[in-house]
Amino acid sequence: MKSRPIEILHECEACLAVNKPAGILTQGPPHVPALDKEIRAYLAANRRDVRTVYLGVPHRLDRPVTGVIVFTRHARATRRMTEQFQGRMIRKIYWACVEGRLKPAYGVLRDFVRKVPDEPRAEIVPPDHPEARPAILNYRVIGRTAWGDALEIELETGRMHQIRIQLGSRGYPIVGDVAYGGTTCLEGEIADPRLRPIALHARSLSYLQPMTFEPIQVTAPLPEAWSRAGLAAAFAGLS
């Protein structure tokens, strides 16, 4: 994968937030390109007196998803950020473009999901399934594209592929997300399907700085691929 500069959105002594590009894992095994390795290299380059760089990963974004992701810089910050995520104290706003028109134009989706064993995907299951975990999101239609609706989504839970499976299972797949029923392609010239983006963007995160408890809101601009595909106009004028 071609190297690119890291887009830092917010940085302090406890954590840093970056704008994740599409096509890269948040965290990966040795010898596999991943965003956490790029962040470690960035921190090491700015701290030449330190041989090893600590980096905590309190949450993740799917490989084809873009937007705000937060990393922590020491163990105490990791523990406190993890507590915020687990306690649903962090506000997570996503922007998405789907195939089709949602009705009603706003609402709450509630499901039970599980990770499919030995496969990189999730599925909806009955609530009495032994591996079922609740998945809840709030959505509202904020615009339209040539393919369907543009949505703002607020997650109440953080399950694997949650937005993708909840919308895709109802017949409204994310644009470009062939794994969950999509029939379109956001960046057709990318040959490797693992590197292709989908129209799902972590727009903002609101959390407490883990050491000072100062309220922080971090917002990520839309990727250029959305403009090339004619999707960005649906979000024009929104903060």
Side-chain angles (χ1 to χ4, degrees), residues 95-99 145 147 149-151 173-175 199-200 226 231 234-235:
W95 283 356
C97 296
V98 298
E99 297 180 20
T145 73
W147 290 295
D149 283 333
L151 310 178
I174 303 292
V175 170
L200 180 58
W226 288 44
L231 303 179
F235 301 89

Side-chain angles (χ1 to χ4, degrees), residues 47-81:
R47 297 182 63 188
R48 300 184 185 279
D49 58 323
V50 178
R51 292 186 178 182
T52 60
V53 173
Y54 177 93
L55 190 71
V57 187
H59 72 130
R60 292 169 175 77
L61 293 178
D62 299 345
R63 187 170 193 161
V65 176
T66 57
V68 182
I69 185 168
V70 175
F71 295 90
T72 45
R73 301 180 66 170
H74 53 74
R76 183 176 296 179
T78 301
R79 183 174 66 254
R80 291 182 176 178
M81 284 296 294

Side-chain angles (χ1 to χ4, degrees), residues 1-237:
M1 181 181 297
K2 183 170 64 176
S3 61
R4 62 203 147 207
I6 296 171
E7 185 177 355
I8 304 295
L9 302 173
H10 179 267
E11 185 172 4
C12 64
E13 292 183 357
C15 54
L16 73 162
V18 305
N19 191 4
K20 178 189 174 295
I24 187 168
L25 296 169
T26 297
Q27 191 174 30
H31 312 300
V32 174
L35 186 58
D36 67 322
K37 297 182 180 66
E38 295 185 3
I39 299 298
R40 282 193 177 91
Y42 162 82
L43 293 174
N46 287 275
R47 297 182 63 188
R48 300 184 185 279
D49 58 323
V50 178
R51 292 186 178 182
T52 60
V53 173
Y54 177 93
L55 190 71
V57 187
H59 72 130
R60 292 169 175 77
L61 293 178
D62 299 345
R63 187 170 193 161
V65 176
T66 57
V68 182
I69 185 168
V70 175
F71 295 90
T72 45
R73 301 180 66 170
H74 53 74
R76 183 176 296 179
T78 301
R79 183 174 66 254
R80 291 182 176 178
M81 284 296 294
T82 300
E83 290 171 352
Q84 289 187 55
F85 277 105
Q86 292 177 344
R88 301 185 186 181
M89 299 169 60
I90 294 178
R91 190 178 187 212
K92 298 172 283 188
I93 301 296
Y94 287 75
W95 283 356
C97 296
V98 298
E99 297 180 20
R101 311 292 186 192
L102 271 75
K103 292 183 179 180
Y106 59 90
V108 181
L109 304 185
R110 301 176 187 273
D111 294 292
F112 288 87
V113 301
R114 71 152 188 162
K115 181 190 181 303
V116 178
D118 303 319
E119 294 185 32
R121 64 184 182 91
E123 65 179 359
I124 292 178
V125 296
D128 59 353
H129 190 286
E131 298 174 17
R133 303 184 72 188
I136 305 170
L137 66 78
N138 302 273
Y139 76 88
R140 67 183 180 102
V141 176
I142 56 177
R144 288 190 170 185
T145 73
W147 290 295
D149 283 333
L151 310 178
E152 182 172 86
I153 296 165
E154 182 169 359
L155 281 180
E156 291 192 24
T157 55
R159 310 307 181 199
M160 177 183 180
H161 297 182
Q162 179 179 332
I163 296 173
R164 301 165 64 186
I165 185 64
Q166 287 195 273
L167 289 168
S169 67
R170 289 169 169 82
Y172 305 106
I174 303 292
V175 170
D177 194 5
V178 296
Y180 290 101
T183 61
T184 58
C185 191
L186 191 57
E187 289 277 89
E189 69 275 13
I190 299 177
D192 189 340
R194 297 173 302 172
L195 306 182
R196 293 175 187 164
I198 63 175
L200 180 58
H201 180 72
R203 174 61 174 173
S204 69
L205 278 181
S206 300
Y207 55 93
L208 299 178
Q209 204 272 12
M211 306 311 296
T212 66
F213 305 108
E214 171 193 2
I216 295 173
Q217 179 176 315
V218 184
T219 302
L222 287 171
E224 293 181 0
W226 288 44
S227 296
R228 292 193 294 268
L231 303 179
F235 301 89

